[in-house]
Amino acid sequence: MENEQFIHQILEILKKEISQIKDIDSLLDRILFEARKFTASDAGSLFLVEGTKLKFSYVQNDSLFKDLTFNKHLYSSQEMEIDDKSIAGYVALTGQTLQIEDVYDLGPDEPYSFNSTYDLASSYRTRSMLVVPLRTGENKIVGVIQLINTLQSDQTPGIYSQQHRLMAELFADQAAIAIERAKMTRAIILRMIKMAELRDPKETGAHVNRVGAYSIEIYHQWARTRNIPEKDIKYFLDTLRIAAMLHDVGKVAISDTILKKPGKLTQEEYELMKWHTVAGHELFRDPTSDLDSMAADIALTHHEKWDGTGYPGHIKQDKENPGAASQGKKGERIPLAGRIVALADVYDALISKRCYKDAWPEEKVLSHIQEQSGFHFDPSLVEAFFSIYEVIKAIRDKYADPETG
Ligand code: C2E
Ligand code: SIN
Ligand code: SIN
Ligand code: FE
Ligand code: FE
């Protein structure tokens, strides 16, 4: 069967490509995009199994999301039970593919029903669906891909074919394996961050997640106003999120008395604290991957300032007196990734409560960032930050600090 051979060739290529993606969110984005492409689907969502729940992890919709601010939907964290009541839940529970002609016209014997909340909220009309389980080699179901409204060549909605189904199922098997692998990479990195956290209780996992997410959104907006090819953007984003999450791991090298000090640091203590940039850079020296070299750049330069008054500058490795060692780097001499994390990190530090400071009111934070444009921060990044501020706020809500006490 020539057709089948062709399908396998395409899948081989896709398998190679997706197996190189390290960041789980970039991976989900790509999996959903490719599955939609070969099934000509107007929309789709991806759900991941987390514990006993199915989590709404990614959504794409060509008809609805032409408007940029819809990115915030990426961060809506909805979940449903893994049971036969919802369409996606049914597929996760039974491992069976569903191929539906019209979700508003389900057979009377089906246990599941269509949840029309999103259609009602957006005046989108969901019709046909192809819903496949993401199953690993060990027969474990890690999630569900839900493809919506396949379009015919005249762009009107049609129904999914047997060939769509075959391809989607084969692709889903590869995708599930890549997802397992990306989850493992993420788990290892999270352990690294945890180690840093154990040393420094005020750096929370939530802070790290927020800085990673703010950073990629600032970059994405900045890049799209600059005619950077989408392929390069995606590649940078994939590396940036993880590297940004690692910005402060160098704090493992700072002594407890300084790290855990509840009040203000003395000048002398502050000078030693500055060493965390150089220490973080050391951890990723001799880079073997783009991720390592970006992580090294960010660790080293996330406290540099656009006007050259930041630290540590051009490092002389003088642990006793790192801040005074030399002048800060300036402007575009500071790597882009470092400039981005500088903004994301300070925004998050000011808007949150820390053991040494209260949270600032939002207006004060925003006017500080505006005032520091061209001084602390790269003005073009400040501009990008404000133009996607809705997305920034959605991230803040998604990764809110856990309630304490
Ligand atoms: P961090 O808490 O993540 O803060 C990151 C950056 O946000 C700071 O870098 C600074 O640029 C900005 N920032 C934080 N709080 C304020 C504030 O109240 N006012 C202003 N204008 N900016 C603020 P910086 O200053 O280089 O500090 C690096 C790290 O050193 C901080 O990371 C924190 O872990 C530690 N640190 C700084 N000052 C103190 C302090 O007085 N007491 C303690 N215990 N730790 C401090
Ligand atoms: C959803 O899109 O969140 C639910 C659709 C369904 O499976 O009923
Ligand atoms: C997007 O923001 O448009 C996609 C998610 C990402 O930035 O990686
Ligand atoms: Fe830092
Ligand atoms: Fe930080």
Side-chain angles (χ1 to χ4, degrees):
M1 267 176 73
E2 226 168 88
N3 197 10
E4 202 160 317
Q5 207 175 5
F6 173 67
I7 290 176
H8 281 279
Q9 274 171 6
I10 294 183
L11 288 170
E12 267 315 299
I13 295 168
L14 285 178
K15 178 178 157 186
K16 267 215 195 86
E17 290 196 16
I18 61 176
S19 68
Q20 288 166 359
I21 301 177
K22 293 170 290 285
D23 178 62
I24 183 93
D25 290 299
S26 309
L27 180 65
L28 300 180
D29 182 43
R30 183 64 184 272
I31 288 170
L32 188 54
F33 179 79
E34 295 296 345
R36 284 176 51 230
K37 201 161 85 178
F38 65 67
T39 56
S41 298
D42 186 44
S45 340
L46 203 154
F47 301 83
L48 287 184
V49 172
E50 277 181 29
T52 62
K53 296 254 163 65
L54 200 54
K55 249 185 136 163
F56 196 41
S57 299
Y58 234 90
V59 55
Q60 294 169 353
N61 188 319
D62 283 347
S63 296
L64 282 179
F65 293 179
K66 295 200 172 83
D67 176 3
L68 257 180
T69 57
F70 263 99
N71 259 352
K72 65 184 167 212
H73 287 274
L74 289 176
Y75 299 101
S76 60
S77 22
Q78 323 240 5
E79 42 183 44
M80 57 182 104
E81 295 296 330
I82 299 179
D83 58 23
D84 62 7
K85 304 285 189 292
S86 70
I87 292 171
Y90 178 89
V91 172
L93 182 72
T94 63
Q96 280 177 34
T97 299
L98 287 179
Q99 205 171 347
I100 300 170
E101 291 190 12
D102 187 342
V103 291
Y104 288 87
D105 189 19
L106 295 171
D109 299 331
E110 309 303 356
Y112 46 81
S113 56
F114 174 65
N115 172 356
S116 58
T117 320
Y118 296 93
D119 275 11
L120 290 171
S122 60
S123 35
Y124 187 75
R125 170 66 160 90
T126 303
R127 258 171 242 276
S128 57
M129 258 197 207
L130 176 60
V131 194
V132 292
L134 287 158
R135 198 194 318 258
T136 65
E138 293 86 48
N139 234 349
K140 190 170 114 199
I141 294 176
V142 294
V144 167
I145 303 181
Q146 180 173 270
L147 298 161
I148 296 169
N149 287 355
T150 185
L151 299 176
Q152 306 175 100
S153 45
D154 64 359
Q155 297 301 305
T156 58
I159 59 175
Y160 288 95
S161 66
Q162 277 313 108
Q163 178 163 327
H164 286 149
R165 176 184 183 136
L166 173 67
M167 277 195 82
E169 286 177 339
L170 290 171
F171 177 65
D173 292 342
Q174 301 304 331
I177 293 166
I179 289 171
E180 285 273 276
R181 195 181 304 118
K183 275 186 169 167
M184 211 178 300
T185 306
R186 194 181 178 97
I188 290 168
I189 286 166
L190 288 176
R191 260 177 230 133
M192 218 168 147
I193 292 168
K194 194 100 202 159
M195 248 169 56
E197 248 178 70
L198 287 174
R199 292 291 330 283
D200 182 5
K202 67 185 178 300
E203 288 291 325
T204 66
H207 164 67
V208 157
N209 276 314
R210 289 192 300 261
V211 171
Y214 297 148
S215 296
I216 60 167
E217 294 301 339
I218 294 167
Y219 170 74
H220 204 170
Q221 175 60 18
W222 181 91
R224 93 175 101 220
T225 55
R226 274 176 176 67
N227 284 326
I228 297 174
E230 193 65 22
K231 202 162 144 277
D232 298 350
I233 295 182
K234 294 240 166 192
Y235 189 76
F236 195 92
L237 284 173
D238 177 40
T239 314
L240 179 61
R241 181 198 298 268
I242 300 178
M245 290 172 78
L246 295 166
H247 69 279
D248 270 341
V249 287
K251 283 184 178 172
V252 293
I254 305 300
S255 82
D256 269 358
T257 43
I258 295 179
L259 271 184
K260 300 194 172 152
K261 183 169 178 174
K264 239 187 125 38
L265 299 180
T266 64
Q267 187 57 36
E268 196 182 345
E269 289 167 336
Y270 187 48
E271 291 307 320
L272 286 169
M273 174 60 101
K274 290 179 176 176
W275 186 250
H276 79 276
T277 53
V278 180
H281 180 251
E282 277 295 294
L283 286 173
F284 301 102
R285 227 166 41 124
D286 304 323
T288 54
S289 71
D290 293 337
L291 175 60
D292 288 349
S293 73
M294 193 188 284
D297 276 352
I298 289 175
L300 185 64
T301 64
H302 72 281
H303 289 292
E304 297 287 2
K305 297 185 180 178
W306 182 253
D307 66 4
T309 62
Y311 63 88
H314 306 273
I315 39 171
K316 260 201 300 178
Q317 307 233 340
D318 176 3
K319 186 170 180 169
E320 297 314 309
N321 198 4
S326 65
Q327 280 184 329
K329 290 192 188 73
K330 192 172 175 175
E332 285 176 356
R333 288 268 168 89
I334 308 164
L336 176 62
R339 275 143 51 202
I340 293 168
V341 173
L343 176 55
D345 186 36
V346 172
Y347 169 73
D348 199 63
L350 297 180
I351 204 91
S352 317
K353 185 175 154 36
R354 289 280 209 266
C355 72
Y356 63 93
K357 64 168 273 297
D358 278 330
W360 289 14
E362 187 167 21
E363 318 84 76
K364 190 174 164 199
V365 175
L366 298 183
S367 62
H368 176 81
I369 288 175
Q370 192 63 67
E371 278 160 26
Q372 288 297 319
S373 177
F375 298 97
H376 190 152
F377 309 118
D378 176 343
S380 66
L381 293 173
V382 172
E383 194 185 318
F385 172 86
F386 281 111
S387 67
I388 54 150
Y389 194 61
E390 287 301 309
V391 180
I392 300 286
K393 281 199 293 197
I395 295 168
R396 208 173 79 203
D397 294 342
K398 172 163 179 179
Y399 300 110
D401 285 318
E403 305 285 339
T404 47

